[in-house]
Amino acid sequence: MLYREMGKTGDKVSILGFGCMRFQEINGRIDGQQTERQLLQAIDSGVNYFDTAYVYHGGKSESFLGEVFSKGIRNSVKIATKLPTYLVQSRRGMDEVLETQLKRLKTDRIDYYLLHMLTDFASWEKMKRLGILDFLQKAKLDGKIIYTGFSFHGDRENFKLIVDDYDWDMCQIQYNYLDEYYQAGTEGLKYAASKGLGVVVMEPLRGGRLVGRIPMEVEKIWSRAEIQRTPAEWALRWVWDHPEVTMLLSGMNEEAHISENIRIAGEAYPNSLPKEELAVVNRVKEVYQNLLKVGCTGCRYCMPCPSGVDIPNCLGIYNDKHLFQTKRTKIHYFLMTSGLVGGVPTYASRCIGCGKCEKVCPQHIEIRRHLKDVARTMEYPAMKQLTGLIHWGIKGYDLVKKRKNSFD
């Protein structure tokens, strides 16, 4: 495992951080045995930074980490969690959230405490009016917070204003080869590093969109490269090639992925990709930019939808249709949104246009407009009628079964 310094803090952190937003689940609950095994696998391999938040897994992510880390390994790891700026409405509320997090994490301190999802300078100003400066100062004096930072989802000019307005220790930005100039981007990355901030990168694989199923045009480019790597390795190495990046976070939830990422994290030095390999990545980037319709990363901050739409699923399948140019995506869309799998329909046309999702989307996607496109493109005329008939049939079958059991 390679390590880099977290900016001016001097902390040596693993260049691979463990993102704790996408733990494996069983029936809506964290798969405890598998997830603990994966966390310990990462720690044994040198990962020493774990990123969670107040809202991840409905608050269970922090609690689960607390259970695992309290078994004699707390002092060997760095914990990063976040103050939910979108929920806190008072100075007192900040204290209450922090105390809750300390209890969940079973610790007396949080190594890196971030303001979650600042989107512009106005969102930072709002937090100042609520008393964030006093809160951070007091929490640091009390030893409950060691270092401060913020996660950001806005444009680079607002990012710079926030960087300059407080003595931050680190920041967290979205960055990958598709988002080189998106949000804070390369310019923001270099600016923060020049100010002495550690920079943690989220979404290095764009929510998994850069791996897994690969468009044929992209597959051809990767396969013709002189050096053969998996799509994940190309993407991770591209991020780590930037010396200004302190670490990247990976939402690892499969042992094979953890092993692969750890292997790469032991080899990925900054400025190690030659121009020929960077040219390969740029060709792939051009293909994706031409094919991708919606910039959704599947983070699920937009959920739950008041109307029951599974927004990330709808947008993801819509993207797949354009990425892979296959008619089977309509069948897949019907199976995944009709309610045959989960019991409740979640298709795009259920959207009533309330706009709640757009207010919390880190990517600032025009979700309502895209859902209309999804409905128009993916939902054939008889879909709702067929869905209704299927659910009517299922209810009828259940009723007959109950009556039969009552006679037995």
Side-chain angles (χ1 to χ4, degrees):
M1 178 64 63
L2 298 178
Y3 297 84
R4 298 182 186 180
E5 287 192 0
M6 183 68 86
K8 58 192 175 187
T9 72
D11 272 0
K12 291 192 179 301
V13 292
S14 53
I15 66 170
L16 175 65
F18 204 119
C20 302
M21 186 175 75
R22 294 186 170 104
F23 290 152
Q24 286 282 12
E25 293 185 339
I26 299 177
N27 298 324
R29 297 173 179 267
I30 296 173
D31 183 344
Q33 289 187 339
Q34 182 179 27
T35 302
E36 181 170 356
R37 185 168 63 249
Q38 292 171 347
L39 291 171
L40 295 177
Q41 176 189 353
I43 293 170
D44 289 342
S45 300
V47 175
N48 68 356
Y49 187 98
F50 294 80
D51 172 87
T52 184
Y54 184 79
V55 296
Y56 289 174
H57 287 278
K60 300 301 182 183
S61 175
E62 289 178 330
S63 299
F64 187 80
L65 287 180
E67 290 293 334
V68 175
F69 293 161
S70 65
K71 299 176 183 178
I73 54 178
R74 170 64 184 96
N75 292 329
S76 63
V77 298
K78 302 293 184 184
I79 296 176
T81 193
K82 309 177 188 77
L83 178 75
T85 59
Y86 40 87
L87 296 178
V88 172
Q89 298 299 324
S90 67
R91 170 68 179 80
R92 180 180 177 182
M94 299 173 195
D95 287 324
E96 291 173 350
V97 168
L98 177 58
E99 291 304 318
T100 297
Q101 292 174 304
L102 290 169
K103 289 177 182 177
R104 286 177 178 175
L105 290 162
K106 295 183 182 295
T107 186
D108 60 351
R109 76 209 182 272
I110 293 170
D111 302 292
Y112 292 91
Y113 199 63
L114 288 69
L115 273 65
H116 200 183
M117 283 183 65
L118 293 183
T119 56
D120 52 26
F121 193 71
S123 61
W124 166 237
E125 288 277 272
K126 175 188 174 184
M127 294 306 297
K128 287 201 292 183
R129 289 194 298 271
L130 292 176
I132 191 67
L133 297 180
D134 178 67
F135 165 74
L136 293 176
Q137 181 183 34
K138 187 174 186 304
K140 291 182 80 171
L141 286 173
D142 292 343
K144 296 178 180 180
I145 294 173
I146 308 303
Y147 297 116
T148 57
F150 65 97
S151 67
F152 185 76
H153 295 280
D155 64 63
R156 63 178 179 271
E157 295 307 319
N158 277 283
F159 176 74
K160 291 178 181 179
L161 290 173
I162 295 173
V163 166
D164 289 340
D165 201 57
Y166 182 74
D167 187 22
W168 304 102
D169 297 300
M170 51 85 70
C171 62
Q172 189 165 305
I173 63 172
Q174 178 169 322
Y175 197 57
N176 54 68
Y177 64 73
L178 272 188
D179 296 325
E180 187 174 3
Y181 305 107
Y182 181 63
Q183 294 187 5
T186 301
E187 186 176 332
L189 166 67
K190 293 185 176 182
Y191 188 80
S194 73
K195 299 289 184 175
L197 275 66
V199 182
V200 174
V201 166
M202 54 186 163
E203 304 290 359
L205 303 180
R206 223 169 193 262
R209 297 292 189 267
L210 304 181
V211 297
R213 293 182 66 197
I214 303 295
M216 188 177 299
E217 298 94 319
V218 172
E219 189 65 56
K220 287 179 181 178
I221 296 173
W222 290 144
S223 64
R224 291 170 183 167
E226 185 174 344
I227 293 181
Q228 290 298 293
R229 299 188 176 109
T230 64
E233 183 166 358
W234 279 107
L236 298 182
R237 281 182 177 270
W238 185 90
V239 175
W240 277 320
D241 199 55
H242 296 78
E244 299 86 2
V245 171
T246 304
M247 73 160 58
L248 61 78
L249 300 173
S250 178
M252 304 174 283
N253 56 23
E254 293 184 23
E255 281 81 353
H257 294 166
I258 298 172
S259 297
E260 179 185 17
N261 291 354
I262 288 170
R263 175 187 62 79
I264 304 166
E267 305 168 355
Y269 289 91
N271 296 319
S272 61
L273 292 180
K275 61 181 181 180
E276 295 81 9
E277 293 179 27
L278 291 173
V280 172
V281 176
N282 283 333
R283 289 198 293 275
V284 167
K285 175 182 175 179
E286 290 174 3
V287 172
Y288 272 119
Q289 287 177 329
N290 290 331
L291 293 175
L292 205 63
K293 291 294 181 181
V294 188
C296 176
T297 66
C299 70
R300 302 190 73 82
Y301 282 123
C302 57
M303 298 297 287
C305 166
S307 302
V309 180
D310 189 337
I311 298 169
N313 193 34
C314 289
L315 298 182
I317 297 172
Y318 180 62
N319 267 336
D320 286 349
K321 179 182 185 298
H322 296 280
L323 287 172
F324 306 109
Q325 303 297 316
T326 173
K327 295 180 179 179
R328 287 182 295 177
T329 50
K330 274 196 174 184
I331 299 173
H332 180 57
Y333 179 84
F334 172 71
L335 292 173
M336 296 303 293
T337 66
S338 64
L340 294 179
V341 177
V344 180
T346 59
Y347 42 73
S349 59
R350 290 176 63 93
C351 173
I352 60 172
C354 70
K356 180 180 178 182
C357 53
E358 294 181 4
K359 294 177 181 178
V360 295
C361 175
Q363 315 304 325
H364 308 295
I365 296 170
E366 296 178 44
I367 296 174
R368 289 172 289 182
R369 177 173 67 83
H370 285 300
L371 287 178
K372 288 181 180 178
D373 292 338
V374 174
R376 184 174 59 252
T377 306
M378 307 296 289
E379 298 178 15
Y380 47 87
M383 178 175 171
K384 291 183 181 179
Q385 292 89 328
L386 181 58
T387 299
L389 285 172
I390 291 172
H391 282 280
W392 179 82
I394 292 172
K395 288 180 180 178
Y397 172 79
D398 289 341
L399 182 60
V400 170
K401 190 175 179 180
K402 286 180 180 178
R403 288 180 176 176
K404 182 180 182 299
N405 289 340
S406 67
F407 288 120
D408 291 343

